[in-house]
Amino acid sequence: MSLSRVFGAMKRGIAFRCPHCGQGNLFRKYLKVQETCPVCGHDNGQYPADDGPAYFTILIVGHLFVAPLFLAPFILRWPLVWVAAVLVPAVMLVALFLLPRVKGAVIGLMWALREVEGRAPGQEESELF
Ligand SMILES: [Zn+2]
């Protein structure tokens, strides 16, 4: 496993592309993974992203977007209702924008690390059955 393989797979996931071939669509809906890649036939449904993408999205949005907002002077001057009316939709839009990209990156990472549902890390596919 090389870092270029890991980052390449994560980049393909961020671009909503199959981590295996980089051609087929990774998602069939907003967050629904296309079980089988339409181009290469790779089983992308085997990667259990679970709550990882939501966790990393909260981490990114919280640290890069919400925390710097507390340094903005309007936060203290504006009425709380105005701040909430502006920032809650803005934070939601940023989170909804990032979530499928982060999920694609997590699936790309799992593809690169060969982390497959029902298999312990390092366990080969032939050892499953
Ligand atoms: Zn593919």
Side-chain angles (χ1 to χ4, degrees):
M1 177 190 64
S2 67
L3 279 181
S4 65
R5 177 184 165 93
V6 171
F7 289 122
M10 290 176 74
K11 269 175 53 180
R12 289 192 293 264
I14 289 170
F16 305 146
R17 295 288 167 212
C18 167
H20 189 72
C21 67
Q23 301 293 314
N25 286 331
L26 181 58
F27 299 110
R28 62 181 160 89
K29 288 186 178 174
Y30 177 63
L31 286 176
K32 278 281 184 203
V33 174
Q34 194 148 309
E35 296 290 324
T36 306
C37 175
V39 174
C40 69
H42 184 71
D43 179 16
N44 287 321
Q46 65 181 322
Y47 305 112
D50 296 334
D51 295 336
Y55 172 78
F56 289 120
T57 300
I58 291 168
L59 192 74
I60 292 167
V61 171
H63 283 87
L64 297 182
F65 191 75
V66 175
L69 279 175
F70 287 110
L71 300 175
F74 76 92
I75 293 282
L76 300 174
R77 286 195 215 124
W78 285 11
L80 183 61
V81 174
W82 290 13
V83 172
V86 170
L87 293 184
V88 169
V91 170
M92 284 175 57
L93 287 175
V94 171
L96 291 173
F97 175 79
L98 287 177
L99 188 56
R101 286 154 182 84
V102 171
K103 184 170 183 172
V106 167
I107 290 174
L109 177 66
M110 295 174 90
W111 175 85
L113 298 177
R114 300 177 192 278
E115 186 73 36
V116 176
E117 190 168 21
R119 193 174 84 191
Q123 184 182 16
E124 291 300 320
E125 206 167 311
S126 61
E127 297 173 25
L128 282 176
F129 303 103

